[in-house]
Amino acid sequence: MSPTLEIIFETTCVRRVHRDRMLRDLVRTAVLETHYFCYQSPGAERLIRHLDKTKVPFALATSSSERSVKTKVAAHKELFDLFHHKVMGSTDPEVKFGKPHPDIFLVAAARFPDKPEPSKCLVFEDSPHGVTAGIKAGMQVVMVPDPHLDKRLTTHATIVLPTLAKFQPEMFGLPAFQ
């Protein structure tokens, strides 16, 4: 069974990114979260390997502690070694406030060498608070929620998908899957 992952930036619903703008804007970086590896979400491994192969920078941004992340990703070390960097919100001194505040995503973006503008970052998130944090950060957010989550809690995401396997990178100006 292949592990999966999502690119996640969380933000509050300050503004909604319209579909036409979403299709125009190019995404330059991605921030991912451990949740999808832990639960074997379809499409995560394919996405990570694709981003690595096509040289799209990506990072991990999670509210978990460093110790917790090490435990969660132990079975997927080779894949997690592909990440440019990792931000563990509960133990990182630069992350002052947790989700739904945008801190974790802004810190993750600032640690890329080219320091991309938030609007050029794409977040994959599973929780409403995470989506809110990504939106507040000024980033686009792909939400892959629990199927039992009330649909009213997903309306502020840029796009909502049932699994990462349904993600189409070219919709965000990224190289298409081969």
Side-chain angles (χ1 to χ4, degrees):
M1 181 180 280
S2 298
T4 59
L5 178 64
E6 288 191 339
I7 302 174
I8 300 175
F9 274 103
E10 296 186 351
T11 64
T12 304
C13 187
V14 172
R15 64 179 171 75
R16 211 168 163 184
V17 179
H18 299 286
R19 188 173 183 343
D20 60 339
R21 179 170 164 225
M22 175 183 72
L23 294 172
R24 275 196 326 262
D25 290 348
L26 296 179
V27 173
R28 292 179 49 198
T29 59
V31 176
L32 302 128
E33 188 171 344
T34 58
H35 170 81
Y36 297 96
F37 275 105
C38 301
Y39 298 101
Q40 302 292 304
S41 176
E45 181 174 2
R46 177 183 183 213
L47 176 59
I48 290 169
R49 293 195 185 285
H50 174 71
L51 294 173
D52 181 60
K53 180 180 177 184
T54 58
K55 307 289 189 233
V56 174
F58 59 99
L60 172 72
T62 179
S63 297
S64 299
S65 68
E66 186 172 358
R67 189 172 100 182
S68 176
V69 169
K70 283 183 181 179
T71 302
K72 289 178 184 178
V73 304
H76 311 289
K77 184 177 178 347
E78 183 258 330
L79 280 175
F80 275 87
D81 285 345
L82 298 176
F83 287 68
H84 181 269
H85 59 275
K86 300 167 185 73
V87 177
M88 282 64 125
S90 64
T91 54
D92 191 308
E94 288 186 57
V95 179
K96 303 297 182 200
F97 299 100
K99 299 170 186 177
H101 296 278
D103 300 31
I104 193 166
F105 296 118
L106 295 172
V107 169
R111 291 186 183 165
F112 285 109
D114 64 342
K115 311 234 184 291
E117 294 178 31
S119 65
K120 299 297 183 190
C121 297
L122 179 64
V123 174
F124 286 85
E125 184 56 72
D126 64 322
S127 75
H129 280 310
V131 172
T132 298
I135 300 297
K136 281 185 178 179
M139 300 173 182
Q140 297 179 70
V141 182
V142 174
M143 186 179 198
V144 183
D146 180 290
H148 300 100
L149 184 69
D150 186 326
K151 300 295 183 234
R152 292 175 291 185
L153 299 175
T154 68
T155 59
H156 58 305
T158 306
I159 188 170
V160 179
L161 301 174
T163 71
L164 284 177
K166 298 291 186 184
F167 179 65
Q168 297 175 1
E170 61 276 14
M171 285 185 65
F172 292 89
L174 296 168
F177 287 119
Q178 301 291 316

